[in-house]
Amino acid sequence: MSDPLTPVVRNRRTVLKAGATLLLSVFAPLPAYAAQILAVRVWPADDYTRVTLENDSELKTTHFMVKDPERMVVDIEGLELNPTLKGLVAKIQSNDPYIKQVRVGQNRPNVVRLVFDLKEEIKPQVFTLAPAGAYKHRLIFDLYPVKEVDPIAAMIEEGNWTSGAPQPTAPGLPPQPAQPPIAVQPTPQAQLEALKPDIKAEPRAELREQVKTAEAQVRPPSKGGKADKIERIITIALDPGHGGEDPGASGRNGSREKDIVLSIAKRLKGKLEAIPNIRVMLTRDGDYFVPLGKRVEKARKVQADLFVSIHADAFVQPTARGSSVFALSEKGASSSAARWLADKENEADTIGGVNVRSHDRQLASVLLDLSTTAQINDSLKLGKSVLAEIGGINRLHKGSVEQAGFAVLKAPDIPSILIETAFISNPEEEAKLRDENYQNQMADAIVKGIRTYFARNPPLARNRLT
């Protein structure tokens, strides 16, 4: 006789086995997911070379340096080789200042190894960036020279000040005609020195009166006086906005702000350097990213007399048009549009990619919060002179200099303006921005504005001419 409980027991065992199988399937290790490299980009420059791997998830890396010859070895976990990553080899240019070549291989399962063969010893920064703008996750390799590029030494090597002879300053740009020099206001000491030879021939009473007047209130030198001959080199920092990982705004026909403004800046540089005793420093002279704070730092290192940042803005409505000039504001933006634009421009570090671990935010904050009322007043004077000239070649978006908290204008001791040359988002103005003739006209207008500013506000002679 069969046991009546047997079917029940069998059914229970069947259920238990099925449950166990289900649990094992749930907790069994899943096959590792390999991240996908979506794009590779290389940005060589004298300042540093940046290599970017854009991917669909955050990557974990380790790296180390090898001597004799100089190499940097990078292991990337959770990655399988794909054609996009293999394409990195062909991205390295022969004129890259720091990378000779790169080798890519599958070091072990789920680990890809990159070997950078270097031209000299470098200080690498390897970091990741969260998705920003049009980019997904990015793995960044910034290769800096052990000895940083000195902007002053670079300017001396390039011979960036002239004796008035026409000279080209960029490939493809014609030489600029020589222009008359900009007058320099002597220091009080220089003016007193200039008076001495003439004072000797004066009667004693007049001599005392003249010296007393000169000491109490320095007067501009008279025409033909020796003080008029005082000269010094004037340094102007030109800042083409965006660059590298940060393309800036884009036009309907594919124009990129970073390309347009670099072209205008190079034309402007050539025209300014045709003026005797003027030298120009570009914060970037190629397609690479420069953080906002670094742009200010470069200008201060060369003791710039002026800082001019060049942009081509965009708006959500393609009908927006016109050129604008902006100065810094301590008390908030002069309009909601100015505030919106400043916020957009200040996002450049997020889009371009700053290594937060090496970026001293506190130091940057101290530097950028030292801006003085005098600097802003001088910036407004400069902006007004430039705006008046730009109005002769293009419609103005607003007839006065606007103000907002642009990070790139916060050098505490340099009159600084930001010029929006036109709206790249407007198809008609995009066509203008692409036109060489318009770029030259814009550069000419800025030069005239700068000359007008210096005519009304002559730069002081320095005790040590540089």
PDB file of all heavy atoms in Angstrom, residues 169-180:
ATOM      1  N   THR A 169      51.979  87.876 -38.666  1.00  0.00           N
ATOM      2  CA  THR A 169      52.063  87.219 -37.362  1.00  0.00           C
ATOM      3  C   THR A 169      51.404  85.859 -37.363  1.00  0.00           C
ATOM      4  O   THR A 169      51.429  85.180 -36.366  1.00  0.00           O
ATOM      5  CB  THR A 169      51.379  88.073 -36.283  1.00  0.00           C
ATOM      6  OG1 THR A 169      50.014  88.266 -36.651  1.00  0.00           O
ATOM      7  CG2 THR A 169      52.054  89.405 -36.137  1.00  0.00           C
ATOM      8  N   ALA A 170      50.798  85.458 -38.446  1.00  0.00           N
ATOM      9  CA  ALA A 170      50.183  84.140 -38.508  1.00  0.00           C
ATOM     10  C   ALA A 170      50.192  83.673 -39.953  1.00  0.00           C
ATOM     11  O   ALA A 170      50.124  84.480 -40.871  1.00  0.00           O
ATOM     12  CB  ALA A 170      48.747  84.183 -37.978  1.00  0.00           C
ATOM     13  N   PRO A 171      50.329  82.367 -40.166  1.00  0.00           N
ATOM     14  CA  PRO A 171      50.338  81.847 -41.537  1.00  0.00           C
ATOM     15  C   PRO A 171      49.076  82.260 -42.282  1.00  0.00           C
ATOM     16  O   PRO A 171      47.964  82.174 -41.776  1.00  0.00           O
ATOM     17  CB  PRO A 171      50.378  80.325 -41.311  1.00  0.00           C
ATOM     18  CG  PRO A 171      50.956  80.147 -39.952  1.00  0.00           C
ATOM     19  CD  PRO A 171      50.492  81.324 -39.153  1.00  0.00           C
ATOM     20  N   GLY A 172      49.274  82.738 -43.509  1.00  0.00           N
ATOM     21  CA  GLY A 172      48.122  83.089 -44.335  1.00  0.00           C
ATOM     22  C   GLY A 172      47.622  84.502 -44.155  1.00  0.00           C
ATOM     23  O   GLY A 172      46.751  84.935 -44.905  1.00  0.00           O
ATOM     24  N   LEU A 173      48.152  85.237 -43.170  1.00  0.00           N
ATOM     25  CA  LEU A 173      47.712  86.606 -42.957  1.00  0.00           C
ATOM     26  C   LEU A 173      48.727  87.561 -43.569  1.00  0.00           C
ATOM     27  O   LEU A 173      49.937  87.401 -43.382  1.00  0.00           O
ATOM     28  CB  LEU A 173      47.552  86.901 -41.470  1.00  0.00           C
ATOM     29  CG  LEU A 173      46.483  86.099 -40.738  1.00  0.00           C
ATOM     30  CD1 LEU A 173      46.382  86.565 -39.302  1.00  0.00           C
ATOM     31  CD2 LEU A 173      45.133  86.220 -41.418  1.00  0.00           C
ATOM     32  N   PRO A 174      48.271  88.600 -44.290  1.00  0.00           N
ATOM     33  CA  PRO A 174      49.200  89.522 -44.938  1.00  0.00           C
ATOM     34  C   PRO A 174      49.884  90.423 -43.918  1.00  0.00           C
ATOM     35  O   PRO A 174      49.372  90.642 -42.817  1.00  0.00           O
ATOM     36  CB  PRO A 174      48.276  90.345 -45.846  1.00  0.00           C
ATOM     37  CG  PRO A 174      46.937  90.293 -45.164  1.00  0.00           C
ATOM     38  CD  PRO A 174      46.873  88.942 -44.533  1.00  0.00           C
ATOM     39  N   PRO A 175      51.078  90.964 -44.262  1.00  0.00           N
ATOM     40  CA  PRO A 175      51.734  91.929 -43.365  1.00  0.00           C
ATOM     41  C   PRO A 175      50.849  93.147 -43.151  1.00  0.00           C
ATOM     42  O   PRO A 175      50.091  93.542 -44.033  1.00  0.00           O
ATOM     43  CB  PRO A 175      53.019  92.296 -44.133  1.00  0.00           C
ATOM     44  CG  PRO A 175      53.218  91.191 -45.115  1.00  0.00           C
ATOM     45  CD  PRO A 175      51.853  90.695 -45.478  1.00  0.00           C
ATOM     46  N   GLN A 176      50.950  93.728 -41.970  1.00  0.00           N
ATOM     47  CA  GLN A 176      50.132  94.894 -41.647  1.00  0.00           C
ATOM     48  C   GLN A 176      50.938  96.168 -41.860  1.00  0.00           C
ATOM     49  O   GLN A 176      52.133  96.216 -41.537  1.00  0.00           O
ATOM     50  CB  GLN A 176      49.663  94.822 -40.192  1.00  0.00           C
ATOM     51  CG  GLN A 176      48.830  93.595 -39.893  1.00  0.00           C
ATOM     52  CD  GLN A 176      47.579  93.536 -40.732  1.00  0.00           C
ATOM     53  OE1 GLN A 176      46.949  94.556 -40.996  1.00  0.00           O
ATOM     54  NE2 GLN A 176      47.202  92.341 -41.166  1.00  0.00           N
ATOM     55  N   PRO A 177      50.309  97.217 -42.384  1.00  0.00           N
ATOM     56  CA  PRO A 177      51.031  98.483 -42.573  1.00  0.00           C
ATOM     57  C   PRO A 177      51.434  99.089 -41.236  1.00  0.00           C
ATOM     58  O   PRO A 177      50.714  98.977 -40.247  1.00  0.00           O
ATOM     59  CB  PRO A 177      49.998  99.365 -43.291  1.00  0.00           C
ATOM     60  CG  PRO A 177      48.666  98.769 -42.935  1.00  0.00           C
ATOM     61  CD  PRO A 177      48.904  97.297 -42.802  1.00  0.00           C
ATOM     62  N   ALA A 178      52.609  99.717 -41.216  1.00  0.00           N
ATOM     63  CA  ALA A 178      53.094 100.332 -39.978  1.00  0.00           C
ATOM     64  C   ALA A 178      52.184 101.477 -39.570  1.00  0.00           C
ATOM     65  O   ALA A 178      51.633 102.190 -40.412  1.00  0.00           O
ATOM     66  CB  ALA A 178      54.519 100.837 -40.181  1.00  0.00           C
ATOM     67  N   GLN A 179      52.012 101.656 -38.271  1.00  0.00           N
ATOM     68  CA  GLN A 179      51.160 102.715 -37.742  1.00  0.00           C
ATOM     69  C   GLN A 179      51.960 103.566 -36.765  1.00  0.00           C
ATOM     70  O   GLN A 179      52.961 103.120 -36.207  1.00  0.00           O
ATOM     71  CB  GLN A 179      49.944 102.106 -37.031  1.00  0.00           C
ATOM     72  CG  GLN A 179      49.061 101.263 -37.939  1.00  0.00           C
ATOM     73  CD  GLN A 179      47.778 100.869 -37.261  1.00  0.00           C
ATOM     74  OE1 GLN A 179      47.193 101.626 -36.506  1.00  0.00           O
ATOM     75  NE2 GLN A 179      47.319  99.654 -37.540  1.00  0.00           N
ATOM     76  N   PRO A 180      51.514 104.811 -36.541  1.00  0.00           N
ATOM     77  CA  PRO A 180      52.232 105.678 -35.609  1.00  0.00           C
ATOM     78  C   PRO A 180      52.163 105.130 -34.190  1.00  0.00           C
ATOM     79  O   PRO A 180      51.196 104.444 -33.831  1.00  0.00           O
ATOM     80  CB  PRO A 180      51.487 107.016 -35.720  1.00  0.00           C
ATOM     81  CG  PRO A 180      50.145 106.670 -36.283  1.00  0.00           C
ATOM     82  CD  PRO A 180      50.363 105.490 -37.161  1.00  0.00           C
TER      83      PRO A 180
END
